Amino acid sequence: MSNEHAMRFPLIGSAMLLSLFLLFKFLSKDLVNFVLTGYFFLLGIIALSATLLPYIEGFLPKRWNEEEIVWRFPYYKSLAIEFTRSQVFAGIPGVFFCAWYASKKHFLANNILGLAFSIQGIEMLSLGSFKTGAILLVGLFFYDIFWVFFTPVMVTVAKSFDAPIKLLFRTSNAARPYSMLGLGDIVIPGIFVALALRFDVSRGKGSNYFKSAFIGYIVGLALTIVVMNWFNAAQPALLYIVPGVIGFLATHCIWNGEVKQLLAFDESKLAASSKEDTKTKTDKKEE
């Protein structure tokens, strides 16, 4: 993700959010949710199988994990899907689980699918640098405040959207049986926290910037819950999470006097140098 992508992200997110709001406003809510249920049924199988795969690969034959099967679409031979037998095996429980979710819409099934989406999102997305991450988080900080406090759009979509895009927590309030936490409030700060972990690993030192960012996230989330229950109203979670994550990480970094090293970190350059080192080692072995 580049700085330009990070700057555009809140605008694209706003366009998508407003589009969903208009869909629910002008079309049947049941029809929209029926289509979305089918869409997330397929996505859920993929996300759950990908999440379970690392835990079950060790129990399966080695060739199941390595040999790829290529399936080409009829009449469109240029389109193909590559997969392993292990991925198919991991997808079996995903099919049954998603069928349970689609038929019952139980909040536990919703939360497990939501966590699977969050894990895959954090694993697949990369900010590249802390500068890009800061731009993205600050932009979404204002995005969340605007759509929650100044318009009914965010709350309306969250309540109408019957799909695992949020975690649900039961409450004792009959008028508001569930509290909600959007997956964006997990994934977006999560990829920033994951970047701090990769920074720690790349240095091979015990700076533990990951712990600082993670503690900042926990503090921000806890503050969100306290304020939400205190005022008994929806809160933009990123209003509290973003200052917590950036604030704790920045304080730790300034305390250690390593601001330049943190800002200079770039995953793309790190990946390029890693590939170059691997190539050099391979060439030496061949010699």
Side-chain angles (χ1 to χ4, degrees):
M1 187 179 291
S2 67
N3 290 347
E4 290 75 20
H5 292 146
M7 291 176 187
R8 287 199 297 265
F9 198 94
L11 299 176
I12 296 169
S14 296
M16 291 298 297
L17 184 65
L18 192 57
S19 299
L20 286 169
F21 176 76
L22 293 174
L23 276 176
F24 284 114
K25 187 175 179 64
F26 295 108
L27 294 178
S28 167
K29 179 180 173 181
D30 292 335
L31 174 62
V32 175
N33 278 318
F34 176 77
V35 174
L36 291 172
T37 296
Y39 176 67
F40 279 95
F41 178 86
L42 296 174
L43 281 184
I45 294 171
I46 296 169
L48 272 176
S49 62
T51 304
L52 293 173
L53 188 61
Y55 300 99
I56 66 174
E57 278 184 331
F59 300 98
L60 300 174
K62 190 176 180 180
R63 62 189 184 87
W64 282 27
N65 302 328
E66 297 176 350
E67 291 178 5
E68 288 192 343
I69 300 169
V70 180
W71 183 80
R72 299 190 180 279
F73 285 82
Y75 308 110
Y76 297 95
K77 300 297 182 182
S78 59
L79 295 175
I81 299 175
E82 296 181 358
F83 55 90
T84 64
R85 291 181 179 86
S86 296
Q87 288 173 325
V88 175
F89 188 84
I92 294 172
V95 171
F96 287 103
F97 189 88
C98 290
W100 174 47
Y101 166 75
S103 61
K104 301 296 183 182
K105 294 295 179 75
H106 196 280
F107 82 99
L108 286 177
N110 174 91
N111 288 354
I112 292 171
L113 282 175
L115 289 173
F117 287 135
S118 299
I119 290 168
Q120 294 307 310
I122 293 171
E123 183 179 339
M124 293 171 64
L125 297 173
S126 174
L127 291 169
S129 70
F130 287 99
K131 292 178 184 177
T132 304
I135 292 170
L136 178 64
L137 287 180
V138 170
L140 290 175
F141 170 83
F142 291 106
Y143 158 91
D144 217 18
I145 292 172
F146 174 77
W147 288 111
V148 173
F149 282 155
F150 296 99
T151 75
V153 173
M154 181 78 81
V155 175
T156 301
V157 170
K159 289 181 177 179
S160 304
F161 208 123
D162 190 11
I165 59 156
K166 59 204 173 191
L167 300 186
L168 300 173
F169 304 94
R170 276 186 170 168
T171 68
S172 57
N173 187 347
R176 188 169 57 91
Y178 293 102
S179 292
M180 296 177 288
L181 178 67
L183 298 192
D185 299 325
I186 300 172
V187 175
I188 301 301
I191 57 179
F192 190 86
V193 174
L195 183 66
L197 177 60
R198 290 194 287 272
F199 177 63
D200 285 341
V201 172
S202 71
R203 302 172 74 222
K205 296 180 180 180
S207 298
N208 289 322
Y209 288 117
F210 164 73
K211 289 183 180 178
S212 298
F214 188 63
I215 292 170
Y217 178 82
I218 293 172
V219 171
L221 186 58
L223 191 57
T224 304
I225 295 169
V226 170
V227 175
M228 181 180 65
N229 285 287
W230 183 272
F231 291 103
N232 197 26
Q235 296 293 316
L238 294 181
L239 169 62
Y240 310 99
I241 292 173
V242 169
V245 171
I246 294 180
F248 272 68
L249 181 66
T251 302
H252 189 181
C253 185
I254 293 169
W255 180 270
N256 288 346
E258 296 180 328
V259 176
K260 288 185 178 179
Q261 294 91 318
L262 191 86
L263 294 178
F265 179 69
D266 191 324
E267 279 196 299
S268 60
K269 293 178 182 177
L270 190 69
S273 63
S274 178
K275 286 181 181 178
E276 195 173 320
D277 291 342
T278 304
K279 185 181 177 184
T280 303
K281 290 178 182 177
T282 304
D283 291 342
K284 286 181 179 180
K285 285 182 180 179
E286 288 177 354
E287 291 174 1

